[in-house]
Amino acid sequence: MRKFAFFCALALPLLSASYAGAQQCDNQQEPSPPSRVKTGLNLQNTTNSQINVLWAGFDGVLTHYTTLQPKQSTELITYVGHIWYLEAFTPGGAVCLGPIRPVQASACRMKISLQGGDFAYEQQGCQVE
């Protein structure tokens, strides 16, 4: 946890994704590619909303992997290139962020917040589209 706190203390730009007309993540997405390079997906939910963590399977169907409660963090084992989505249900409606792909053997780290109904996040080692 200290490593993640150190990461958060780094001067990283805060990125945000605006979702006017936001909605739930579609169940069918681009499939995760085969990979044998293990990595991690470290997520910190700083919001007051639950966030569903969804994995795009090898057939592209989203599978619910876990739910992050408000202010909760988790560390997942995954593989480089695998595709993940985050889905939050807020008073303004559902918000979907993704695809998120770990791009290196060192863990993909994300600190997630919601600001005015928009996702905002700090990331390291992830590709977010």
Side-chain angles (χ1 to χ4, degrees):
M1 191 64 170
R2 288 193 334 227
K3 287 182 185 177
F4 194 74
F6 175 75
F7 158 76
C8 292
L10 294 176
L12 293 176
L14 186 65
L15 304 171
S16 69
S18 180
Y19 293 91
Q23 59 184 5
Q24 287 179 248
C25 296
D26 292 333
N27 191 44
Q28 186 67 43
Q29 299 291 340
E30 176 185 352
S32 286
S35 174
R36 293 182 184 202
V37 180
K38 280 190 178 181
T39 189
L41 179 62
N42 300 336
L43 303 170
Q44 180 183 14
N45 178 6
T46 66
T47 75
N48 291 321
S49 299
Q50 290 183 342
I51 297 178
N52 290 329
V53 179
L54 309 166
W55 176 68
F58 301 118
D59 58 0
V61 174
L62 293 186
T63 300
H64 180 266
Y65 203 79
T66 192
T67 298
L68 282 174
Q69 298 301 321
K71 313 303 183 204
Q72 183 182 17
S73 297
T74 191
E75 296 181 15
L76 307 173
I77 296 173
T78 188
Y79 294 86
V80 169
H82 278 204
I83 301 172
W84 295 85
Y85 288 83
L86 303 177
E87 181 178 66
F89 295 94
T90 68
V95 181
C96 182
L97 176 65
I100 301 162
R101 302 169 202 257
V103 292
Q104 55 196 18
S106 58
C108 165
R109 302 178 190 278
M110 293 190 74
K111 179 179 177 182
I112 304 110
S113 60
L114 281 172
Q115 299 175 357
D118 294 340
F119 261 115
Y121 58 92
E122 296 175 37
Q123 64 85 19
Q124 178 181 21
C126 315
Q127 177 183 346
V128 183
E129 298 172 23

